Amino acid sequence: MTGKVPSFSPSSTVSSYLSGYVALCLALQVHRLASAQFTVTGPDHPVIASLGGEAVLPCHLSPRMSAENMEVRWFQSKYSAVVHLYKDGQDQYEEQMAEYQQRTEFLKDDITSGSVSLRIRNIQPSDEGPYKCRFQSSVTYEEAVLELQVADLGSAPAISVEGHQDRGIRVVCRSSGWYPEPKAQWRDLQGQLLPSASENISQEADGLFQTEIAIVLREESNQKVSCCVRNPRLDQERESAIYVTELFFPQVNPWMVALGVILAVLLPLAGYCFWRQHRAKEALRSEMKTQRAEYEAVKELGLTRARRYAVDVTLDPDTANPWLVLSEDRKCVSDGHTRQDLPNNPERFDPCVCVLGAEGFAGGRRYWEVEVGDKPEWALGVCRESVNREGWVTHTPEDGYWAMWLWYGEYKASTDPPTPLPVRVRPGRVGIFLDYEAGEVSFYNVTDRSHLITFTGTYSGTLRPYFCPGPNSGGENVAPLIISPVPAQAGGNLGP
């Protein structure tokens, strides 16, 4: 039997083995690349940070894996705009942008799980915008985009009365230091929005925004309004209120109205009544000159009127706290550094470090001024003669106190809660005006002749001036509160 031997080709065998080897290598490489795949994830909402504060921008790998040997790069619009770089197991600062130097910190406590964060300190408006967090291994890289938003509240609104306009009073509200652009509104006592006369929002050199909004108040409309400035990004606001008394509004002179009627009747008879017409014109010119002067002095109207009721006020030593030192003429009071041995009478304040005026007022209008100078803390006002003198009390109208104070650099009125006061110029002297029958206690900044606040209510019994000079410092006596004489040109007391 003969058999057939199959043919065998060495070259075909080698080619077959080589093809199989190449296929195996490609399969292993594909498997290695597949095993190195990952994604980078950041927060799904913007990170909001306050000006001057800190921001933490987190991102992590999915699935969880160690990033110790990876390069982690934080940058903004361009790859080369490096905010922070982690490479070769440590932070690298050679490529970092100058504006971020000494302000960043790479948080890597959980880097073995692929979770890291970047902390940015002393946040500035220019830090706002998108950031990219990029992880790069030896074979691939992925990145995520995060959004940083900057926000901050500005100053408490400062409200001022700035003249007559459209038969009313123009009131202006200003506030600065906001980011981003704020929203400003006027509201009445019920919280209803009021139309503004003008509004201006501008950006300052440091990137923050300031706003100025005005309203014209008329005597028949709301005389107590509030200015509200809101940060829409934080959904927070600051608010201040003002009460404009009838003293500020232009007054209608009945004689002028009658004169206008008479002139309207007599004008057709000008030839017959020439001398009367001439006389009326002179009177009208004089009245217009007087009104023009009142318009120019609108900021001084309230203070000028109040000063006409100036009275002589002295301090009552029987009410003074033992820590207080009174001058011989009883016009000055300061906080001493030792407690005096004084009779323990029921009229004396203790432990509250304050003193009352010797004069009591049960009616009429009274005005006095107190020199506060550059004192860092003080309180002034009026209180009921019957207030409790022992123990700590809450100095509010409900407890019989109508006062304002400077404390920790802030001017506030003694309401519950305290009301911030819009003080544009630091007062070196403060004026207090009591209108007993009208139920008003008004405070004035004599330095710039501006009105600070007016308390309204109903009074009964005797009211007395109230003084608190503030604590001493370093064992030395602080500057005293001084009851100052009102200038003679302000006018004397015209009676109640």
Side-chain angles (χ1 to χ4, degrees), residues 296-464:
E296 294 174 352
V298 63
K299 293 173 66 174
E300 302 181 7
L301 276 175
L303 180 59
T304 300
R305 177 177 180 271
R307 277 183 154 188
R308 289 184 288 173
Y309 301 95
V311 295
D312 186 27
V313 172
T314 57
L315 301 170
D316 182 359
D318 291 335
T319 65
N321 181 279
W323 288 92
L324 294 181
V325 178
L326 275 60
S327 63
E328 291 186 5
D329 62 358
R330 299 180 184 176
K331 291 287 188 177
C332 304
V333 56
S334 61
D335 188 7
H337 61 276
T338 58
R339 182 182 175 91
Q340 304 173 76
D341 186 14
L342 298 176
N344 184 17
N345 63 65
E347 298 180 16
R348 192 177 307 283
F349 283 93
D350 197 4
C352 290
V353 187
C354 52
V355 61
L356 297 184
E359 294 73 24
F361 310 124
R365 299 182 177 119
R366 304 291 186 269
Y367 176 82
W368 60 96
E369 293 180 355
V370 182
E371 193 80 29
V372 298
D374 294 328
K375 289 176 60 61
E377 287 96 18
W378 48 263
L380 297 170
V382 299
C383 69
R384 293 195 186 98
E385 188 174 48
S386 59
V387 295
N388 182 26
R389 315 288 174 87
E390 297 181 359
W392 296 104
V393 297
T394 303
H395 296 80
T396 63
E398 290 73 20
D399 291 324
Y401 291 86
W402 296 269
M404 66 165 288
W405 65 72
L406 168 61
W407 204 257
Y408 292 108
E410 295 183 330
Y411 295 89
K412 294 186 178 181
S414 62
T415 55
D416 186 14
T419 300
L421 298 180
V423 176
R424 300 178 61 186
V425 176
R426 181 186 181 98
R429 180 181 294 191
V430 175
I432 301 100
F433 178 50
L434 167 65
D435 189 337
Y436 194 100
E437 281 72 23
E440 295 181 350
V441 176
S442 300
F443 292 83
Y444 295 91
N445 180 352
V446 181
T447 303
D448 67 352
R449 307 183 69 83
S450 63
H451 172 259
L452 296 172
I453 191 172
T454 294
F455 291 89
T456 58
T458 303
Y459 306 134
S460 61
T462 301
L463 303 181
R464 297 175 66 176

Side-chain angles (χ1 to χ4, degrees), residues 92-412:
Q92 308 287 340
Y93 296 102
E94 293 79 6
E95 301 179 45
Q96 187 179 44
M97 290 188 293
E99 57 266 34
Y100 287 97
Q101 291 178 3
Q102 307 297 323
R103 291 205 297 132
T104 62
E105 180 183 0
F106 185 62
L107 307 178
K108 50 183 180 291
D109 290 346
D110 296 325
I111 195 171
T112 55
S113 300
S115 180
V116 298
S117 298
L118 179 67
R119 174 182 287 140
I120 305 177
R121 294 182 291 270
N122 190 21
I123 292 296
Q124 307 297 322
S126 57
D127 294 334
E128 185 171 79
Y131 289 75
K132 290 184 180 180
C133 170
R134 175 176 176 140
F135 287 76
Q136 182 170 339
S137 67
S138 59
V139 295
T140 187
Y141 71 88
E142 289 291 340
E143 60 189 34
V145 179
L146 300 83
E147 180 76 16
L148 174 61
Q149 293 182 350
V150 179
D152 204 19
L153 294 177
S155 62
I159 305 177
S160 58
V161 177
E162 299 200 351
H164 289 126
Q165 179 179 328
D166 300 334
R167 308 179 73 85
I169 295 294
R170 178 180 174 85
V171 182
V172 179
C173 171
R174 297 180 177 89
S175 183
S176 60
W178 293 84
Y179 197 88
E181 183 175 311
K183 301 293 184 183
Q185 297 173 329
W186 289 102
R187 297 174 180 168
D188 61 15
L189 287 175
Q190 289 72 40
Q192 299 297 316
L193 298 183
L194 299 174
S196 58
S198 65
E199 182 175 0
N200 179 44
I201 298 178
S202 59
Q203 194 165 18
E204 303 168 356
D206 57 4
L208 305 184
F209 289 87
Q210 63 179 4
T211 180
E212 177 180 304
I213 186 171
I215 191 173
V216 176
L217 297 179
R218 295 175 176 81
E219 191 168 11
E220 68 276 6
S221 63
N222 295 285
Q223 297 179 23
K224 184 172 184 180
V225 295
S226 64
C227 174
C228 171
V229 185
R230 170 177 290 274
N231 186 316
R233 182 169 291 173
L234 295 176
D235 195 25
Q236 297 181 35
E237 64 184 30
R238 292 189 185 277
E239 186 174 12
S240 298
I242 187 173
Y243 174 75
V244 181
T245 68
E246 67 276 4
L247 298 177
F248 287 93
F249 290 95
Q251 300 298 313
V252 177
N253 192 319
W255 182 86
M256 289 295 295
V257 175
L259 178 60
V261 174
I262 294 173
L263 289 176
V265 173
L266 294 182
L267 278 176
L269 306 175
Y272 177 77
C273 303
F274 174 79
W275 67 272
R276 293 185 181 180
Q277 183 182 20
H278 179 74
R279 182 180 177 185
K281 285 183 178 180
E282 289 298 322
L284 180 60
R285 187 178 296 110
S286 176
E287 183 68 20
M288 291 178 65
K289 183 178 180 181
T290 300
Q291 288 188 357
R292 188 180 300 111
E294 290 178 353
Y295 285 4
E296 294 174 352
V298 63
K299 293 173 66 174
E300 302 181 7
L301 276 175
L303 180 59
T304 300
R305 177 177 180 271
R307 277 183 154 188
R308 289 184 288 173
Y309 301 95
V311 295
D312 186 27
V313 172
T314 57
L315 301 170
D316 182 359
D318 291 335
T319 65
N321 181 279
W323 288 92
L324 294 181
V325 178
L326 275 60
S327 63
E328 291 186 5
D329 62 358
R330 299 180 184 176
K331 291 287 188 177
C332 304
V333 56
S334 61
D335 188 7
H337 61 276
T338 58
R339 182 182 175 91
Q340 304 173 76
D341 186 14
L342 298 176
N344 184 17
N345 63 65
E347 298 180 16
R348 192 177 307 283
F349 283 93
D350 197 4
C352 290
V353 187
C354 52
V355 61
L356 297 184
E359 294 73 24
F361 310 124
R365 299 182 177 119
R366 304 291 186 269
Y367 176 82
W368 60 96
E369 293 180 355
V370 182
E371 193 80 29
V372 298
D374 294 328
K375 289 176 60 61
E377 287 96 18
W378 48 263
L380 297 170
V382 299
C383 69
R384 293 195 186 98
E385 188 174 48
S386 59
V387 295
N388 182 26
R389 315 288 174 87
E390 297 181 359
W392 296 104
V393 297
T394 303
H395 296 80
T396 63
E398 290 73 20
D399 291 324
Y401 291 86
W402 296 269
M404 66 165 288
W405 65 72
L406 168 61
W407 204 257
Y408 292 108
E410 295 183 330
Y411 295 89
K412 294 186 178 181

Side-chain angles (χ1 to χ4, degrees), residues 79-94:
Y79 178 83
S80 58
V82 176
V83 177
H84 195 95
L85 177 62
Y86 171 83
K87 184 178 180 182
D88 298 331
Q90 59 184 356
D91 298 310
Q92 308 287 340
Y93 296 102
E94 293 79 6

